[in-house]
Amino acid sequence: MIDRYGRIIDYLRISITDRCNLRCIYCMPAEGVAWKPHEEVLSFEEILRLCGIMAGLGIRKVKVTGGEPLVRKGVVGFIAKLREIRGIEQVTITTNGLLLEEFFDEAGDAGRTLVDGVNISLDTLDPERFSRVTRTVPDAFARGQGLPAILRSLDRVQSLGIPVKLNCVPLRGFNEADLPGLAALARSANRAVRFIELMPLGSANSQESIPGAEVAALLERVYGPLTPYPGKLGNGPAEYYSLPGFAGKIGFINAVSEGFCEHCNRLRLSSGGILTPCLSSDTGMNLRNMLRGGASDAELRAAAAELAAQKPPSHNFSAVYEREQTKHKSGMYHIGG
Ligand code: SAM
Ligand code: SF4
């Protein structure tokens, strides 16, 4: 699909659940999250049908996300079926990493080829800050859960030969001290560590972002000059750099200070079946109602194409910041980060 600004739309991010086993302070409220009732969540069969239709429209790459995608039962079998859809060339997941060991245990020998890449979110390497940012019990470290489980998974995914990217959201007054250590995870191993600017969604306005340029300057003071990497890593908007002596790359997603919309290639499908053209969209196309109302493939295809045609030229996050409020009440866990 090519939208009215000439962008090729070939990437679909699917949130398979809005539920999560963590409560990151910038993503979800501490309590009182109203989960979508089960009957409002698309079944795997419904998602697979939509993906087949979207593949017919030119979607080639799919990201499975959430909420936390690995809390949904049957996710291994779902991903295996997703891979079989004609036209889908790449399937990746974004996860907080807590259940990755179980995921690969269940996948068994198929694990090596089940996904083409794993993004793991990790905002700190400090156990105490980890439990604060994720609002988890502080003794999880002692029990080998939480942060240790994520670090074990990191090695396991890497040992399977699956490309890994780490995502960190820098928060002022919270994890500045962790940023060099997180970046260093790309020193001895060929993995990407990416720093994502906080976007004004959901619970984000309780935190202050650190612009990517500031993070870059901090890393340069510790490790030396960042050299732009001309190659492409993955499907996202990150700009990648090399650091002296680093096997992997450092990425920046400067979503707010710089924007990345000019080359945006994606649509998003929420767990409730709403197809949206942009992270900052307030509205979308309710494909669940269409699916359950008996729409034909041709009707669903036309609806998805119409939605893609409405893709805005850019997000409106800067305007949101100027008004000093979080316009978008939905957090990333709702939209599908
Ligand atoms: N639970 C999975 C995880 O944490 O990776 C997948 C969903 S999560 C919503 C996807 C990504 O969105 C995570 O890397 C998280 O750090 C990021 N995220 C959540 N809220 C954000 C915000 N307001 N601004 C920027 N990134 C955010
Ligand atoms: Fe859950 Fe991911 Fe949001 Fe953290 S960022 S609360 S892990 S959905």
Side-chain angles (χ1 to χ4, degrees):
M1 274 177 287
I2 297 186
D3 77 359
R4 62 197 157 129
Y5 302 101
R7 297 172 296 194
I8 296 169
I9 312 299
D10 62 357
Y11 181 32
L12 179 66
R13 292 180 73 98
I14 306 172
S15 171
I16 60 169
T17 179
D18 60 346
R19 291 169 197 242
C20 189
N21 45 359
L22 296 180
R23 293 286 181 280
C24 299
I25 51 176
Y26 53 83
C27 180
M28 283 196 188
E31 48 196 30
V33 186
W35 303 125
K36 205 170 280 309
H38 282 296
E39 61 277 12
E40 288 182 19
V41 173
L42 290 188
S43 67
F44 282 144
E45 290 69 28
E46 287 172 323
I47 301 175
L48 290 166
R49 181 177 168 205
L50 287 179
C51 280
I53 292 167
M54 304 285 287
L57 279 169
I59 293 296
R60 297 286 167 263
K61 295 164 272 194
V62 172
K63 169 80 75 194
V64 177
T65 180
E68 173 47 44
L70 304 192
V71 300
R72 184 157 173 185
K73 278 204 185 69
V75 61
V76 171
F78 164 69
I79 292 178
K81 290 211 177 86
L82 202 49
R83 295 196 74 87
E84 288 169 9
I85 294 176
R86 183 136 45 110
I88 300 296
E89 294 164 3
Q90 191 188 81
V91 179
T92 54
I93 55 173
T94 292
T95 170
N96 61 34
L98 283 184
L99 295 173
L100 265 175
E101 291 183 301
E102 287 83 344
F103 177 81
F104 282 107
D105 284 347
E106 189 183 333
D109 290 341
R112 236 170 246 286
T113 51
L114 192 60
V115 285
D116 299 289
V118 177
N119 288 9
I120 302 178
S121 303
L122 188 57
D123 298 315
T124 175
L125 290 169
D126 175 78
E128 189 270 330
R129 277 196 288 279
F130 179 83
S131 73
R132 264 201 290 151
V133 71
T134 58
R135 298 198 184 95
T136 45
V137 287
D139 74 337
F141 191 88
R143 291 183 283 116
Q145 295 166 349
L147 187 52
I150 298 172
L151 295 174
R152 281 196 306 271
S153 296
L154 186 59
D155 291 337
R156 172 138 174 209
V157 179
Q158 203 101 31
S159 71
L160 290 171
I162 300 171
V164 176
K165 292 185 186 133
L166 285 161
N167 290 339
C168 163
V169 179
L171 301 171
R172 196 174 303 286
F174 181 74
N175 60 358
E176 286 101 330
D178 293 303
L179 305 182
L182 285 164
L185 291 173
R187 183 157 48 188
S188 55
N190 185 9
R191 53 172 84 108
V193 176
R194 299 145 18 121
F195 297 95
I196 306 177
E197 282 181 352
L198 183 71
M199 295 175 236
L201 299 160
S203 302
N205 60 352
S206 61
Q207 304 298 321
E208 190 184 338
S209 168
I210 307 178
E214 203 177 315
V215 176
L218 188 155
L219 297 183
E220 288 196 316
R221 281 199 295 278
V222 181
Y223 297 117
L226 284 158
T227 309
Y229 173 67
K232 190 160 162 47
L233 291 180
N235 310 306
E239 302 275 356
Y240 288 97
Y241 294 80
S242 305
L243 275 172
F246 274 54
K249 300 282 174 273
I250 302 296
F252 294 93
I253 302 183
N254 296 341
V256 179
S257 67
E258 291 176 15
F260 46 48
C261 307
E262 205 182 319
H263 304 292
C264 184
N265 56 354
R266 60 192 59 189
L267 299 178
R268 292 168 187 273
L269 182 65
S270 76
S271 58
I274 311 291
L275 187 67
T276 49
C278 174
L279 249 186
S280 75
S281 303
D282 288 328
T283 54
M285 189 73 74
N286 190 329
L287 298 183
R288 184 187 71 218
N289 282 354
M290 291 186 69
L291 275 167
R292 295 182 184 176
S296 66
D297 283 6
E299 285 164 334
L300 287 162
R301 184 185 156 102
E306 186 189 326
L307 189 280
Q310 289 167 15
K311 202 168 156 58
S314 66
H315 66 62
N316 58 5
F317 290 153
S318 310
V320 173
Y321 270 131
E322 275 160 28
R323 290 200 300 277
E324 291 187 78
Q325 60 179 9
T326 300
K327 178 182 172 205
H328 300 280
K329 295 202 173 59
S330 298
M332 283 284 206
Y333 70 99
H334 239 147
I335 308 165

